[in-house]
Amino acid sequence: MAHRHAAAHPDPSPDRQHTFVPATTSTIATQINVNDPDDKMGGIDYLRLDKNRDKAYAFDLAFDESISQQDVYEKASATLRHVIDGVLRGTNACCFAYGATGSGKTYTMTGVPGQPGVIPLTVAGLFEAIDASKTRVVVRLQYVEIYNEVVKDLLDPSDKITLDVREDPRQGTFVAGAASLVVGSREAVEDMLARGNQFRTTSATGCNEVSSRSHAVLQLRLETEKEGGAKAIGKLALIDLAGSERATKTDNRGQRLNEGANINRSLLALANCINALVQGGGPGAGRGRGHAHVPYRDSKLTRLLKDSLGGKSTTCIITNVSPASDQFEETINTLKYANRAKNIKT
């Protein structure tokens, strides 16, 4: 049985007009309200004077823009501890941030110097749990990016090498040909991440001066020794997704426009997999009535995350939304995505 957790976290940009607030006055809530900027007589859309698009969505946690990185991690620590404990027992898990471009996903997942994000804080929690377990655990790391549906190794970058996602009964899904390095501490993982991020593809767009043009996937494979010499093998995937884009908002042209199309295509494939899992897809899908086929092979991203999204796995989704009034449509679409994802059944 898979467990799903969702949290909403807005972009902390101070110069944007807010179009939503948490349902309570506290920093942490479980509901997020979205207010229509063209509401009734005060709006500018005269064709919708008698209509209202205000929405309210409930999640496990909802944070406002004043929350710190450490607080996000600590308040979600029960969920993340569940993820870490499960991986040490031999199950798979993944955590990713989803949202429109410029909504703060990379800041939330990776962080900045002095304010580490979810990825480094989760890695720190993982090694603390390993030390507390008093058992021998071997941790192997792969760090890749998916750019225009091409997989690149961020730890050993080379434009001449085309990597492929493969499946193995023992390893599950993995990137064949990518470096798989043994790491023994949080510091070692952080060094690898810092080295790999130097080669990640970024570019300026109309919505973000440093826009991620690729999905970055950190996979940690844990081999935990059990009594009698048996091993429990679990996998933790931490993903910084590129943001969904509208060409009219980003003002992209040429190569940037092609990148945005590939980003949207892979995110649509992820959405289709989530929709299928909500309908009860997964192992055995298609063998009986009521089961939906899960199209994992529609993109490199979904194929790589196949054994972390369905089956015996735990998924933690962080949804980033912007409080700007001109991002109302993006905010609504993002929250609909997350609201759908929390109902996954496997």
Side-chain angles (χ1 to χ4, degrees):
M1 180 66 183
H3 303 272
R4 312 294 160 191
H5 306 274
H9 187 204
D11 171 26
S13 303
D15 56 343
R16 292 183 167 184
Q17 178 184 345
H18 289 200
T19 61
F20 69 85
V21 293
T24 68
T25 56
S26 64
T27 302
I28 301 160
T30 58
Q31 179 174 307
I32 191 164
N33 297 333
V34 189
N35 303 320
D36 188 350
D38 285 330
D39 183 18
K40 298 181 180 179
M41 296 302 294
I44 60 175
D45 189 346
Y46 296 101
L47 298 177
R48 294 195 305 106
L49 290 180
D50 60 342
K51 297 182 180 179
N52 186 286
R53 293 188 295 171
D54 291 358
K55 299 289 184 180
Y57 297 91
F59 299 102
D60 295 316
L61 292 167
F63 306 112
D64 69 18
E65 66 275 14
S66 67
I67 196 80
S68 69
Q69 296 279 66
Q70 187 66 36
D71 285 342
V72 169
Y73 178 77
E74 289 181 357
K75 298 305 178 183
S77 61
T79 295
L80 295 172
R81 274 200 303 269
H82 178 77
V83 168
I84 291 170
D85 291 344
V87 172
L88 287 172
R89 290 195 302 268
T91 62
N92 297 329
C94 71
C95 176
F96 63 85
Y98 177 84
T101 184
S103 59
K105 299 179 300 302
T106 298
Y107 173 77
T108 298
M109 293 301 290
T110 305
V112 294
Q115 298 183 59
V118 170
I119 291 177
L121 291 174
T122 302
V123 169
L126 174 64
F127 280 99
E128 288 174 2
I130 290 174
D131 291 340
S133 70
K134 305 298 183 182
T135 58
R136 185 173 183 272
V137 181
V138 177
V139 182
R140 298 182 182 275
L141 174 151
Q142 279 192 335
Y143 191 33
V144 301
E145 75 167 2
I146 302 173
Y147 172 70
N148 286 344
E149 282 301 292
V150 175
V151 183
K152 297 183 178 181
D153 187 355
L154 291 174
L155 299 180
D156 186 17
S158 174
D159 294 333
K160 298 180 181 179
I161 300 177
T162 301
L163 304 178
D164 194 18
V165 179
R166 297 181 183 174
E167 296 182 46
D168 181 85
R170 294 184 60 190
Q171 298 185 58
T173 55
F174 67 101
V175 179
S180 180
L181 307 177
V182 176
V183 290
S185 67
R186 166 189 177 178
E187 291 76 18
V189 176
E190 290 179 346
D191 287 344
M192 299 289 183
L193 289 175
R195 190 173 78 186
N197 287 335
Q198 295 177 4
F199 300 101
R200 192 173 176 193
T201 307
T202 61
S203 181
T205 69
C207 292
N208 192 353
E209 291 183 358
V210 188
S211 174
S212 300
R213 313 308 295 162
S214 66
H215 309 302
V217 182
L218 171 68
Q219 284 200 323
L220 299 172
R221 187 171 183 268
L222 279 68
E223 301 176 3
T224 305
E225 287 194 359
K226 291 184 154 186
E227 293 182 4
K231 289 184 179 180
I233 299 177
K235 186 189 299 179
L236 174 61
L238 300 168
I239 307 104
D240 178 19
L241 293 174
S244 57
E245 297 186 351
R246 289 188 181 186
T248 54
K249 288 288 181 70
T250 58
D251 197 30
N252 286 341
R253 298 288 186 273
Q255 183 180 352
R256 299 288 88 80
L257 185 63
N258 182 57
E259 291 170 350
N262 279 295
I263 290 169
N264 289 340
R265 191 176 297 115
S266 63
L267 292 176
L268 176 61
L270 180 59
N272 289 338
C273 288
I274 288 175
N275 289 337
L277 289 168
V278 168
Q279 296 171 26
R287 298 176 187 171
R289 296 182 62 184
H291 290 288
H293 166 68
V294 184
Y296 289 116
R297 288 181 173 269
D298 283 0
S299 78
K300 297 288 179 64
L301 175 66
T302 51
R303 191 177 177 192
L304 183 58
L305 298 181
K306 177 181 178 180
D307 52 8
S308 295
L309 283 174
K312 189 179 179 182
S313 65
T314 302
T315 303
C316 177
I317 302 173
I318 301 173
T319 305
N320 287 75
V321 290
S322 169
S325 58
D326 64 351
Q327 296 289 309
F328 175 77
E329 297 291 347
E330 285 77 6
T331 294
I332 286 289
N333 290 336
T334 299
L335 292 174
K336 284 180 179 178
Y337 188 106
N339 193 58
R340 184 81 170 164
K342 72 180 184 181
N343 296 316
I344 289 177
K345 300 174 183 178
T346 58

